[in-house]
Amino acid sequence: MDDAKLQAELLLAHEKQDFETLSTLYSKAAFQLEASNDIDAACFYWTHAFVFALDADLDEAVAILSHKLASYGRL
Amino acid sequence: MGNLHSLNAVKQSVNKAKGLPNEHYVDKDVFVQEQRTVLYKSWAGLGFGKDVPEPGDARPVEFLGIPLLMMRDHDGQVGVFQNTCRHRGMILITEPKKLRNTVRCPYHSWCYSLKGDLRATPHVGGPGHNTHEDIKPSELGLIRIRSYVWHDVVFINLSGDAEEFEQEHAGLLDRWKEFDQPMYHGGESSSFRLDVSTNWKLAVENYCESYHLPWIHPGLNTYSRLEDHYDIQEPGAFSGQGTHVYRQLTGDGDDQTFTDFQGLSDKWDTAAEYIAIYPNVLLGVHRDHFFAIVLEPVSFDKTIEHIELYYAVDPEKQPEQLAMRDANATLWKSVFKEDIGVVEGMQRGRHGIFFDGGKFSPIMDGPTHNFHHWVALKIEAAGSDSSDLAT
């Protein structure tokens, strides 16, 4: 995961209040962390992805992310 | 707060009564007490549905210093909530905005639905842990304020224990049942406000009597004389005045009039009624338009009058009547402005320490006394009610 690139993209999306992009970026980061078995960090990012999916009214993403968090006992 | 002796004087018949004592207009502490005893305990006007016209619209509104939030949900219903996150008390919405499906607190991102249900508590159990056994979402939704929308006016009952609106105001709902039909806001010029240096009650008292019309609204004298008006009073609920000689506005150079509301009885061909629905909403019905005024009590001597006009036909379907709607709004604005001098004058006069509340004309001041009597009863009823609003 290119941390610097992700950080830059996240900051830009935060500045623009682009919740759909924020949800996508946090989710992408979370899945990468899950792949490297860092579950706590992954769940942290999935939480953010979930919140921004709620704010952006992305029903499908909300369903996927809540299921993922629930699968780890985090929701 | 007025002592029992002075309020007993208010509760006598209009022939013998005195008006509410001065402290009800000039004392900051009494103003605060009246908030709790009169305004919180009644169905008070807060705002208008037209201010949250579409699903997802959210507007913060302050009522007597309490931060509230008006929202229209995806079922089209207007709800009123305390604009305060249940977590740490953060203000949720600071300016009117269009939400999608979620109210997200800007502080820790607790998320609520448009119906106030708590949907997410991110990291509440630690980073990446979004639940905790002692955080029960079903108990932590937004605090819903009891509300009712009638003729697009959003009424609230902060105390939560007033009778149902339809029971409390059954008399006026029945009186004006013919106007229970679609009404359309007249557009930008049909919305205006007046900032007045007066106690909100004086605006009510002035509105509901016709006695002042010949002196303050001389433009009416040629076609709507004092004798053409009649009093309207329902003890404990509303009072006002009617006219038998309403004259429709016509277009420039032609006989064009606004479209009438549907199915009205013949009475309304030439009648119009102007009623104060207690405590703080002033309404006017005519065969071809309706207006509502929500009086916002800012302080003991400051009130904002929020005025909205409505018509029988969607103005988008009658663009050719824009100039007439503008003219009608201008006319009403000028009429209401004519009242400013006297309500502000009464406010200043109430600082006269030898003024005893005043003497009512038994014939002409019935509607005004009806309101004073209602206020006095509300204050006395609250005096015997030791319940705390917030518990």
Side-chain angles (χ1 to χ4, degrees):
Chain A
M1 182 169 66
D2 183 338
D3 281 346
K5 183 167 181 285
L6 175 63
Q7 280 301 316
E9 286 177 330
L10 281 168
L11 285 172
L12 185 61
H14 270 289
E15 199 179 306
K16 290 180 178 177
Q17 297 277 285
D18 182 351
F19 301 137
E20 190 165 341
T21 300
L22 281 167
S23 183
T24 303
L25 289 172
Y26 277 118
S27 187
K28 184 176 164 185
F31 278 105
Q32 288 178 345
L33 287 161
E34 184 189 40
S36 60
N37 214 33
D38 189 347
I39 303 305
D40 282 344
C43 286
F44 182 91
Y45 279 110
W46 273 319
T47 296
H48 280 244
F50 171 65
V51 166
F52 287 118
L54 275 174
D55 210 341
D57 200 25
L58 303 171
D59 286 346
E60 202 176 316
V62 167
I64 291 168
L65 292 163
S66 60
H67 179 77
K68 180 59 82 174
L69 284 164
S71 73
Y72 285 108
R74 307 301 180 96
L75 193 64
Chain B
M1 184 68 85
N3 60 54
L4 279 177
H5 178 74
S6 53
L7 291 184
N8 280 342
V10 177
K11 293 188 306 174
Q12 296 196 64
S13 70
V14 64
N15 299 50
K16 300 190 185 315
K18 291 187 190 296
L20 288 163
N22 286 349
E23 64 252 35
H24 290 269
Y25 301 89
V26 302
D27 188 303
K28 290 176 197 169
D29 292 336
V30 173
F31 177 76
V32 171
Q33 287 296 322
E34 273 188 4
Q35 287 175 23
R36 294 185 168 269
T37 56
V38 179
L39 291 160
Y40 288 9
K41 302 282 278 179
S42 312
W43 284 101
L46 174 70
F48 301 91
K50 47 91 53 184
D51 290 331
V52 284
E54 294 171 357
D57 285 343
R59 174 181 282 264
V61 184
E62 210 172 89
F63 183 72
L64 299 169
I66 301 171
L68 298 178
L69 180 64
M70 283 205 301
M71 284 198 292
R72 193 177 291 273
D73 65 30
H74 288 289
D75 295 327
Q77 301 303 306
V78 174
V80 179
F81 304 89
Q82 189 161 280
N83 188 14
T84 312
C85 185
R86 294 297 305 279
H87 176 213
R88 298 287 293 112
M90 177 69 183
I91 288 285
L92 292 163
I93 302 285
T94 54
E95 57 186 11
K97 65 195 299 185
K98 170 81 86 192
L99 302 170
R100 297 186 206 187
N101 211 10
T102 298
V103 182
R104 181 168 67 90
C105 179
Y107 197 10
H108 304 94
S109 288
W110 282 30
C111 293
Y112 304 87
S113 73
L114 300 188
K115 291 187 186 290
D117 301 319
L118 181 57
R119 300 182 72 192
T121 50
H123 310 307
V124 75
H129 294 262
N130 305 298
T131 59
H132 188 279
E133 62 181 2
D134 290 321
I135 301 289
K136 297 178 172 51
S138 62
E139 295 175 0
L140 292 168
L142 294 182
I143 296 182
R144 183 182 281 269
I145 306 296
R146 201 162 165 232
S147 64
Y148 191 90
V149 183
W150 185 55
H151 284 306
D152 205 43
V153 176
V154 180
F155 293 85
I156 58 171
N157 168 231
L158 273 170
S159 68
D161 60 2
E163 276 199 279
E164 293 296 330
F165 185 93
E166 290 176 5
Q167 273 177 275
E168 182 97 350
H169 294 298
L172 187 54
L173 266 63
D174 182 64
R175 186 183 185 97
W176 284 356
K177 59 179 179 284
E178 292 182 77
F179 292 91
D180 190 15
Q181 54 179 285
M183 294 190 180
Y184 301 90
H185 191 265
E188 194 177 328
S189 67
S190 292
S191 185
F192 53 93
R193 79 181 236 180
L194 296 172
D195 290 44
V196 193
S197 295
T198 194
N199 185 277
W200 65 278
K201 297 192 299 298
L202 290 170
V204 176
E205 296 167 33
N206 175 74
Y207 184 79
C208 62
E209 52 102 323
S210 58
Y211 192 6
H212 70 283
L213 297 184
W215 317 106
I216 304 304
H217 306 296
L220 295 173
N221 286 341
T222 55
Y223 73 93
S224 187
R225 304 158 302 169
L226 193 55
E227 55 265 43
D228 295 321
H229 289 253
Y230 54 93
D231 286 349
I232 303 168
Q233 307 181 57
E234 172 144 327
F238 61 84
S239 60
Q241 43 161 322
T243 175
H244 293 296
V245 291
Y246 170 62
R247 199 170 66 175
Q248 288 183 280
L249 188 78
T250 54
D252 254 345
D254 63 35
D255 292 329
Q256 196 188 156
T257 56
F258 296 121
T259 305
D260 285 345
F261 291 112
Q262 303 263 335
L264 298 179
S265 57
D266 292 345
K267 164 187 171 176
W268 298 104
D269 286 352
T270 54
E273 292 191 344
Y274 306 96
I275 287 181
I277 177 171
Y278 306 159
N280 67 325
V281 176
L282 314 177
L283 303 169
V285 289
H286 318 76
R287 59 188 287 183
D288 58 0
H289 74 280
F290 170 88
F291 66 71
I293 306 174
V294 168
L295 301 172
E296 179 190 345
V298 176
S299 69
F300 70 93
D301 62 354
K302 294 269 183 289
T303 300
I304 302 175
E305 301 183 359
H306 299 275
I307 301 142
E308 308 289 346
L309 278 70
Y310 300 81
Y311 295 87
V313 177
D314 186 338
E316 288 186 6
K317 294 185 179 156
Q318 287 184 325
E320 71 281 5
Q321 291 202 334
L322 174 60
M324 275 178 64
R325 287 192 295 275
D326 288 350
N328 197 34
T330 299
L331 176 64
W332 279 117
K333 193 171 189 177
S334 69
V335 170
F336 299 142
K337 278 185 167 178
E338 287 173 340
D339 288 312
I340 291 177
V342 289
V343 295
E344 290 188 339
M346 282 197 285
Q347 179 65 33
R348 291 196 302 276
R350 284 305 197 136
H351 288 276
I353 59 173
F354 301 110
F355 185 66
D356 62 354
K359 178 77 179 138
F360 296 104
S361 158
I363 306 302
M364 304 302 294
D365 287 325
T368 303
H369 172 253
N370 197 67
F371 176 63
H372 279 236
H373 192 273
W374 176 83
V375 171
L377 288 181
K378 275 292 198 196
I379 291 167
E380 285 187 347
S384 59
D385 175 3
S386 58
S387 63
D388 185 335
L389 185 69
T391 56

